[in-house]
Amino acid sequence: MLASQRQELILALVQRHGTVRLADLAERMGVTAVTVRRDVTALADRGLVQRVHGGITRPHRPNRTPTAPRPALGGATGRTLVGMVVPSVEYYWPHVVQGAQAAVASAGSRLVMRVSSYDPTEDRRQISALVDHGVRVVLAAPVVHGDAGLDLLRWLGSLPVPVVLMERLPPPELSTLALDAATTAHALGAGLGVRHLTALGHRAVALVTSRTSPTSTALRAGWAATTAELGLPHDTDLDIEVPSYGTPGWPPVYDEVLLHCAERGVRAMLVHADREAIGMVERARDLGIDVPGRLAVVSYDDEVAAASDPPLTAVRPQKHRLGQLAVELALGRAAEGDRRPVHRVQLWPTLEVRESCGAAAPASEL
Amino acid sequence: MLASQRQELILALVQRHGTVRLADLAERMGVTAVTVRRDVTALADRGLVQRVHGGITRPHRPNRTPTAPRPALGGATGRTLVGMVVPSVEYYWPHVVQGAQAAVASAGSRLVMRVSSYDPTEDRRQISALVDHGVRVVLAAPVVHGDAGLDLLRWLGSLPVPVVLMERLPPPELSTLALDAATTAHALGAGLGVRHLTALGHRAVALVTSRTSPTSTALRAGWAATTAELGLPHDTDLDIEVPSYGTPGWPPVYDEVLLHCAERGVRAMLVHADREAIGMVERARDLGIDVPGRLAVVSYDDEVAAASDPPLTAVRPQKHRLGQLAVELALGRAAEGDRRPVHRVQLWPTLEVRESCGAAAPASEL
DNA sequence: TCGTTTCCGTTCGGTTCCGCTCGCAACGAT
DNA sequence: ATCGTTGCGAGCGGAACCGAACGGAAACGA
């Protein structure tokens, strides 16, 4: 008996009886329970059945309210403890946390933050700890790729408290997972940088990334799309990966990138993360390449870009707002429960024009 | 008997009789009182029933304040005149307008609505009229396709007042046009309908559309994607276009569709717009095709679907909320200006299960 | 022929569910 | 006031259930 046959049969049975026990299915089909569970997981992922303890039911039953709408306590919504799990507090996320903190505070409540580390197991551990700790809603930026990511997302969808994703979306395999999400349009942000440089006359823009994060992937996609649209070269040797600023042996690698670009006549680059952009400018100065005179640099991040010399033009993801927004989504969900439709919000980054591209006169900012 | 089944039954009984004794439940379901108590506790925690000594009752109604009136943004939003241009007031848009109206009113302001007619020239005329009239923000659902649409969008982007798009997004050629937008995930909604029918055992789902609107296009895409994912047939003769209900000569066309599906063994369809779905059911009855017995119908729209006979299961775009949301986006933009990043919000439709698919058998569970 | 992938079963540790039992509180009758 | 009845909550132990990890078998391609 093939897997697809079994699943077909399971569908037929659950449709017919409304609810089926896994043990019965296992016996009837002559396979073990774990196999049935696997089949059921596959069906549940596609939204065709709904799992319950010990069996399955048809989806979209009236009973489909795992997330609690606020009970009798009525007006006393003031004390909604908000949990938050971010993958790092060294990069990117601090501003998101601050935004969330501000929003939670202004709602008269309290935020409990935990740090994971781009690890699905750790994500899960921290989130369960928060739930045990009594938080009423969870903001999370978990790992979503790979099998472990899928499992984690499934688990998030089955938690008794609402979950809001930050800077993450379920992959296509789980496209119907009903979680709210707040994301930044990173790909579009890369496009902003490329367009800005193009508008300044550059006919080629290199992309330099240093981290293998979801953000870098999005930036690559945006860079490729925009360069293609604008008719700029986008061969693979303009999509450059470098070690992080400060890792052993970084300067010669950066130098090589600079020389490579100079050879190719590329005088503009978009660099992911401020530190790497600053490192690039630093090496350029040592090599006698004037910024912005002979090389225009746009940083993607804008945490410390303004403090560089020269101040770096940067694409700025709206991290603070993203945190705020995530809290608003979460509190809205907590207040309304499943009556509220799924919200997916995307924020655009902004372009902060400074001096590293020769676009703004230094005094133009008054 | 599974726990979830018991809880569902308890809900049904308390709904039906208003009040139930725990001892009766225990006896009826063949479990001990302590188990019933635990089930009841779970339901009460979710606010679905209310405990009383010796039994349970329906939850208190007076606690009917789910939609928390949102405190006005910033502060000085008091007198912001909001302009709104919708392409029609006969179909779809009235609910959006009502939602916007409610939101504007609760912000202590006033809404000025105009109707265009899927015509870019008219769109522009109405919007300029509103701007001249002194509105501070504009909500619009303009034509966005074709050269005229592009021009119109460019013009909207250059207006001195903020513009929020409703159910529209700039096409890829203008993907960087910095307008806020609130849209419905129609493609996903079509997927919800298809998945529901598939979960009920149907191995083929036809799509019937009647309007050449952006919505129909999205539905087609969602239908194609979901059928492909689920391994259902998605040849072009299951993607059917019909004239609107009531246009001259509609009945024979609908009949033909019904016969075609019957021949192909297709016994489930997703129909765009309630009126057409109702027309389809009407013709099916005349042809002796029982709904839901021999044909399952899901409507996409849910304006009057509940009033049909039998009541139609429908996918429900959250129009009212979309209107609210558009106003919130607009007021936020008006209050903050360009400091505010572009917001792109997507709302998911919900699935309202009724009787036209044979899924809901409310009384069958006794 | 040798990986590689896919599918399925086994094992194991942890969780959930459920009934039993006990002590406490509320009510009503004597 | 006392006692029996009924309902309720808490704790305990057994059973069922679940997920994760490991390993074997078959299918597939080079």
Side-chain angles (χ1 to χ4, degrees):
Chain A
M1 190 174 212
L2 270 53
S4 62
Q5 274 176 292
R6 281 199 312 271
Q7 297 180 13
E8 196 89 12
L9 178 58
I10 294 176
L11 260 185
L13 288 173
V14 75
Q15 150 57 16
R16 196 172 149 150
H17 298 110
T19 165
V20 191
R21 285 166 35 87
L22 294 196
D24 293 347
L25 289 174
E27 189 193 0
R28 167 178 208 125
M29 301 190 295
V31 294
T32 55
V34 56
T35 301
V36 173
R37 268 201 291 276
R38 281 194 267 247
D39 288 335
V40 163
T41 304
L43 292 174
D45 276 357
R46 294 191 277 160
L48 300 181
V49 301
Q50 172 150 359
R51 313 195 60 157
V52 296
H53 190 90
I56 51 178
T57 72
R58 286 191 290 239
H60 293 291
R61 278 308 195 80
N63 182 27
R64 197 199 129 2
T65 65
T67 57
R70 276 312 100 227
L73 288 135
T77 63
R79 283 287 128 205
T80 311
L81 198 57
V82 177
M84 182 174 196
V85 175
V86 297
S88 151
V89 282
E90 289 148 20
Y91 168 64
Y92 200 99
W93 294 98
H95 290 86
V96 179
V97 174
Q98 287 167 22
Q101 172 60 46
V104 168
S106 87
S109 186
R110 212 157 58 77
L111 184 73
V112 185
M113 191 201 61
R114 302 283 176 109
V115 183
S116 174
S117 49
Y118 299 99
D119 171 26
T121 311
E122 185 66 6
D123 286 336
R124 184 182 298 218
R125 214 178 60 74
Q126 296 289 17
I127 293 171
S128 6
L130 284 175
V131 172
D132 292 345
H133 187 270
V135 302
R136 306 295 285 273
V137 306
V138 171
L139 318 178
V143 172
V144 297
H145 55 263
D147 289 344
L150 290 180
D151 282 346
L152 182 55
L153 282 171
R154 278 188 273 263
W155 179 72
L156 289 175
S158 69
L159 281 182
V161 300
V163 175
V164 174
L165 297 177
M166 299 178 297
E167 299 290 18
R168 301 283 187 274
L169 286 176
E173 301 93 301
L174 279 178
S175 59
T176 57
L177 187 68
L179 294 181
D180 297 314
T183 56
T184 297
H186 289 304
L188 189 135
L192 286 182
V194 172
R195 280 168 206 278
H196 178 62
L197 290 165
T198 307
L200 294 175
H202 294 281
R203 307 309 304 157
V205 178
L207 174 69
V208 177
T209 55
S210 67
R211 303 167 195 264
T212 54
S213 66
T215 306
S216 287
T217 310
L219 292 184
R220 251 185 229 108
W223 174 81
T226 308
T227 47
E229 188 195 328
L230 298 178
L232 310 184
H234 47 283
D235 18 333
T236 51
D237 66 336
L238 289 185
D239 177 355
I240 304 163
E241 196 165 337
V242 299
S244 292
Y245 174 89
T247 53
W250 70 270
V253 182
Y254 283 38
D255 290 354
E256 195 186 331
V257 169
L258 288 165
L259 295 174
H260 172 71
C261 287
E263 266 173 38
R264 283 215 36 178
V266 175
R267 294 171 58 180
M269 56 174 62
L270 172 64
V271 184
H272 182 204
D274 288 351
R275 293 198 325 169
E276 284 70 26
I278 289 172
M280 199 60 85
V281 171
E282 179 182 328
R283 296 310 308 157
R285 179 178 301 127
D286 279 13
L287 291 177
I289 301 173
D290 179 51
V291 174
R294 295 198 54 79
L295 178 68
V297 175
V298 172
S299 173
Y300 191 96
D301 194 17
D302 202 35
E303 301 224 337
V304 290
S308 173
D309 176 36
L312 293 172
T313 291
V315 179
R316 177 186 190 107
Q318 301 288 313
K319 304 166 194 169
H320 193 274
R321 272 185 191 269
L322 190 99
Q324 271 185 285
L325 185 57
V327 168
E328 284 164 21
L329 289 176
L331 293 182
R333 171 69 59 196
E336 299 180 58
D338 285 346
R339 315 163 44 82
R340 182 178 165 98
V342 174
H343 284 54
R344 294 275 166 91
V345 189
Q346 212 179 31
L347 295 183
W348 285 17
T350 55
L351 181 70
E352 307 290 325
V353 178
R354 303 198 183 90
E355 297 172 29
S356 62
C357 302
S364 76
E365 314 217 349
L366 169 58
Chain B
M1 193 174 209
L2 298 168
S4 64
Q5 251 178 309
R6 281 199 313 271
Q7 298 180 13
E8 204 160 319
L9 178 57
I10 294 175
L11 262 184
L13 288 174
V14 76
Q15 201 68 14
R16 200 168 144 152
H17 298 111
T19 165
V20 192
R21 283 165 35 87
L22 295 197
D24 293 348
L25 288 175
E27 187 193 1
R28 163 176 225 127
M29 301 191 294
V31 294
T32 55
V34 54
T35 301
V36 173
R37 266 199 292 277
R38 279 195 268 249
D39 287 335
V40 163
T41 305
L43 292 174
D45 281 352
R46 293 191 271 160
L48 300 178
V49 301
Q50 175 146 358
R51 313 195 59 156
V52 294
H53 194 84
I56 51 177
T57 70
R58 281 192 284 250
H60 251 342
R61 286 289 171 228
N63 169 34
R64 195 88 173 82
T65 60
T67 51
R70 194 168 291 266
L73 300 155
T77 62
R79 277 290 126 203
T80 311
L81 197 57
V82 176
M84 183 173 195
V85 176
V86 296
S88 153
V89 280
E90 288 149 21
Y91 168 64
Y92 199 100
W93 294 97
H95 290 86
V96 180
V97 173
Q98 287 167 23
Q101 171 61 45
V104 168
S106 89
S109 186
R110 213 156 57 77
L111 184 73
V112 186
M113 191 202 60
R114 302 287 176 107
V115 184
S116 174
S117 49
Y118 298 99
D119 170 25
T121 312
E122 184 67 5
D123 286 335
R124 184 182 297 220
R125 214 179 58 77
Q126 295 289 15
I127 293 171
S128 338
L130 284 175
V131 173
D132 292 347
H133 186 268
V135 301
R136 305 289 290 275
V137 303
V138 172
L139 317 179
V143 172
V144 296
H145 55 263
D147 289 344
L150 290 179
D151 282 346
L152 180 54
L153 281 171
R154 278 189 271 265
W155 178 73
L156 289 174
S158 68
L159 281 181
V161 299
V163 174
V164 174
L165 297 177
M166 298 177 296
E167 299 289 19
R168 301 283 187 274
L169 286 175
E173 302 93 300
L174 275 180
S175 60
T176 57
L177 185 68
L179 293 181
D180 297 314
T183 56
T184 297
H186 289 303
L188 189 135
L192 286 184
V194 172
R195 279 168 207 278
H196 179 62
L197 290 166
T198 308
L200 294 176
H202 294 281
R203 309 312 301 155
V205 179
L207 174 69
V208 177
T209 54
S210 66
R211 305 168 195 262
T212 54
S213 67
T215 306
S216 286
T217 309
L219 293 185
R220 253 186 226 108
W223 174 82
T226 308
T227 48
E229 189 197 330
L230 298 180
L232 310 184
H234 46 284
D235 18 333
T236 50
D237 66 336
L238 289 184
D239 178 355
I240 304 163
E241 197 165 336
V242 300
S244 292
Y245 174 88
T247 54
W250 70 272
V253 182
Y254 283 37
D255 290 355
E256 195 184 334
V257 169
L258 288 166
L259 295 175
H260 172 70
C261 288
E263 267 172 39
R264 283 217 33 180
V266 175
R267 293 171 57 179
M269 55 173 62
L270 173 64
V271 183
H272 182 205
D274 287 352
R275 293 197 325 168
E276 283 70 26
I278 289 173
M280 199 60 84
V281 172
E282 179 181 327
R283 295 311 306 157
R285 179 178 299 128
D286 280 11
L287 292 177
I289 301 173
D290 180 49
V291 174
R294 295 197 54 80
L295 178 69
V297 174
V298 172
S299 173
Y300 192 96
D301 196 17
D302 202 35
E303 301 223 337
V304 291
S308 174
D309 176 35
L312 294 172
T313 291
V315 179
R316 178 186 190 109
Q318 301 287 313
K319 303 167 195 169
H320 193 273
R321 267 180 195 273
L322 190 100
Q324 270 184 286
L325 186 57
V327 168
E328 284 165 21
L329 289 175
L331 294 182
R333 172 68 58 196
E336 301 181 59
D338 286 344
R339 317 167 41 81
R340 181 179 165 97
V342 174
H343 284 55
R344 293 277 166 90
V345 189
Q346 215 180 29
L347 294 184
W348 285 16
T350 55
L351 181 69
E352 307 291 326
V353 178
R354 302 198 184 91
E355 297 172 29
S356 61
C357 302
S364 79
E365 318 229 344
L366 167 47

